[in-house]
Amino acid sequence: MKTRKKSLRIIKQLICLCMSVSLLLMCALPAAADDNDPFLPPGGADWNKLKDLMINDYAYGHGNTVTDETYLGKAAKKIATNDFWEANYTLNGWQTLDLSPYENGTLEFDAVGAVGGETFSVGFIDVVTERLVNGEFFKDNDQHPHQTAVTASIPLGENLTTEWKHYSLPLKDIFDVLAQQYHYQIVG
């Protein structure tokens, strides 16, 4: 009887030891997701990463002519201007898009000046028909009183050079301008 109790105790201790070792190994060795795993959420192993949003479609502007060209070896949009100008590009094919998940992201682009020394601002325009403000439709005093536009931009911060340069602007800087100027909330 004593031998049997002793055997059971040793078996229990061995089981506890095996479980402890297996738990330690699970914590110590990270598990990598396999893209072929049928139990992954849609999007595969990178399901929680935001997709890059491409801004390629020229929408409209004034004071400029925009053409597709190759300049210094790169595909580019050439913006020829005559004094004050504005060039607008669309995001998401003119469809509504919630940018709040991108608050800590960046707006990245390459730019080059024709002669160097040029500068410009970068920002967002949000045009909405029948914008609700405090539970009522907001009307402004222009040609389209039910259509309102909210604009926020930040300066590039430096003059362009005659060499291509990559720029990475924090979206939060632009979002903060919206919040300050319009009490407008992009992020939840």
Side-chain angles (χ1 to χ4, degrees):
M1 189 74 139
K2 278 188 173 184
T3 316
R4 186 174 175 163
K5 282 186 180 183
K6 192 173 185 179
S7 302
L8 284 174
R9 190 175 339 126
I10 291 174
I11 291 172
K12 287 180 184 179
Q13 289 175 339
L14 283 174
I15 290 172
C16 287
L17 179 65
C18 289
M19 288 177 61
S20 298
V21 169
S22 65
L23 284 173
L24 284 173
L25 287 175
M26 285 177 14
C27 293
L29 303 174
D34 179 11
D35 282 331
N36 298 322
D37 185 348
F39 299 105
L40 282 176
D46 291 331
W47 66 272
N48 64 341
K49 295 195 173 42
L50 294 171
K51 70 177 184 170
D52 288 340
L53 300 175
M54 301 304 293
I55 304 173
N56 293 323
D57 300 325
Y58 176 72
Y60 63 93
H62 56 80
N64 64 47
T65 303
V66 178
T67 54
D68 291 317
E69 294 191 10
T70 300
Y71 187 71
L72 296 177
K74 285 190 175 188
K77 299 276 187 194
K78 179 181 179 184
I79 303 174
T81 66
N82 59 12
D83 198 22
F84 179 79
W85 62 278
E86 176 181 323
N88 296 284
Y89 291 83
T90 61
L91 179 66
N92 201 35
W94 289 94
Q95 301 300 309
T96 300
L97 181 67
D98 178 9
L99 292 178
S100 61
Y102 295 86
E103 175 189 16
N104 294 314
T106 56
L107 175 63
E108 298 192 18
F109 58 92
D110 295 333
V112 62
V115 295
E118 301 93 338
T119 188
F120 59 94
S121 295
V122 177
F124 293 104
I125 298 175
D126 181 20
V127 178
V128 176
T129 302
E130 298 180 344
R131 183 185 305 272
L132 283 176
V133 175
N134 295 325
E136 296 188 21
F137 289 117
F138 176 81
K139 294 181 184 178
D140 54 20
N141 296 319
D142 63 7
Q143 293 175 318
H144 309 283
H146 290 291
Q147 178 176 313
T148 58
V150 175
T151 305
S153 63
I154 59 172
L156 184 59
E158 62 186 75
N159 292 341
L160 296 177
T161 66
T162 56
E163 300 289 324
W164 282 107
K165 182 175 178 188
H166 185 76
Y167 293 90
S168 181
L169 305 176
L171 290 175
K172 185 150 181 38
D173 291 355
I174 300 171
F175 292 174
D176 287 348
V177 169
L178 279 172
Q180 291 168 8
Q181 288 181 351
Y182 301 100
H183 305 289
Y184 191 78
Q185 188 174 7
I186 289 184
V187 293

